[in-house]
Amino acid sequence: MKKILVVLLSLTLIFAFTGCTSSNNEATEDIKTQEVVTSNTDDDDDNISNTENAAENVNEKDYDFSSYEEEICNITKSVNNAKTSTNASENHEQFYTLKRQVDAVDDELDKLDDEFEYAYQMKEISFETYKARERAIEKLEDELELAEEALENKYGIDD
């Protein structure tokens, strides 16, 4: 399900950027790498989550995801700034170094999601809080997936 969402999000971004380009012959050039841009301009999602967060914050303190957002932003910058070389072993080393960072954050997010699910099952948090946190984690995982896809595209390695 997550991969489908990522593919749809990627296609949306591609169509958005394609629609913004001029209609001259430069549009036919091949694009070898894709830079990942993370932003919080999704108006509908923000309005929904702001409404949910306001309702949740009345009763319970919400979780702070800013450290994960910062980690994902740093990984995205590292992927965008990574330079490929003609040396294949050097490329593999750079790829797997960045891939380990992506996997580490993904594992942390999975563990956090499991902790929230357990807290909900133990009735420590409400269903609304659990779902809001789960949606926040899914959004972070989507951003991380985009960075991973950009990394794979840049180095031509499908892992």
Side-chain angles (χ1 to χ4, degrees):
M1 181 69 179
K2 291 180 184 175
K3 290 191 179 207
I4 292 172
L5 290 173
V6 170
V7 169
L8 291 174
L9 182 61
S10 298
L11 289 173
T12 303
L13 289 172
I14 290 170
F15 289 126
F17 288 122
T18 304
C20 296
T21 60
S22 62
S23 61
N24 58 19
N25 291 337
E26 293 177 13
T28 61
E29 292 181 14
D30 290 334
I31 299 173
K32 293 185 179 182
T33 62
Q34 172 187 5
E35 299 229 354
V36 180
V37 178
T38 57
S39 67
N40 292 329
T41 60
D42 216 26
D43 292 337
D44 292 337
D45 287 344
D46 286 347
N47 290 339
I48 291 169
S49 55
N50 285 342
T51 304
E52 291 169 351
N53 287 341
E56 290 167 27
N57 288 336
V58 170
N59 298 326
E60 300 174 19
K61 183 176 171 112
D62 206 7
Y63 191 82
D64 182 20
F65 291 98
S66 62
S67 63
Y68 296 103
E69 292 168 349
E70 187 176 313
E71 282 184 76
I72 292 170
C73 183
N74 289 337
I75 289 171
T76 300
K77 286 178 185 176
S78 296
V79 168
N80 288 340
N81 293 332
K83 303 290 182 206
T84 58
S85 73
T86 57
N87 185 341
S89 64
E90 204 174 286
N91 283 341
H92 281 125
E93 184 179 325
Q94 289 175 349
F95 173 82
Y96 285 109
T97 298
L98 290 168
K99 177 77 166 119
R100 280 190 294 274
Q101 292 175 5
V102 168
D103 290 343
V105 174
D106 190 39
D107 290 344
E108 288 176 30
L109 289 172
D110 288 341
K111 182 180 174 185
L112 188 62
D113 190 32
D114 291 342
E115 289 174 8
F116 291 149
E117 183 176 0
Y118 180 76
Y120 167 66
Q121 290 173 350
M122 294 291 111
K123 310 257 189 255
E124 295 172 5
I125 61 174
S126 69
F127 178 74
E128 292 79 18
T129 300
Y130 167 65
K131 290 308 279 183
R133 290 177 181 180
E134 186 175 284
R135 277 191 295 276
I137 289 173
E138 287 175 2
K139 185 176 178 181
L140 292 170
E141 286 175 334
D142 289 346
E143 291 176 13
L144 192 60
E145 183 71 26
L146 288 173
E148 183 177 17
E149 287 178 9
L151 176 65
E152 290 174 351
N153 289 338
K154 182 171 276 196
Y155 286 98
I157 300 173
D158 186 19
D159 189 44

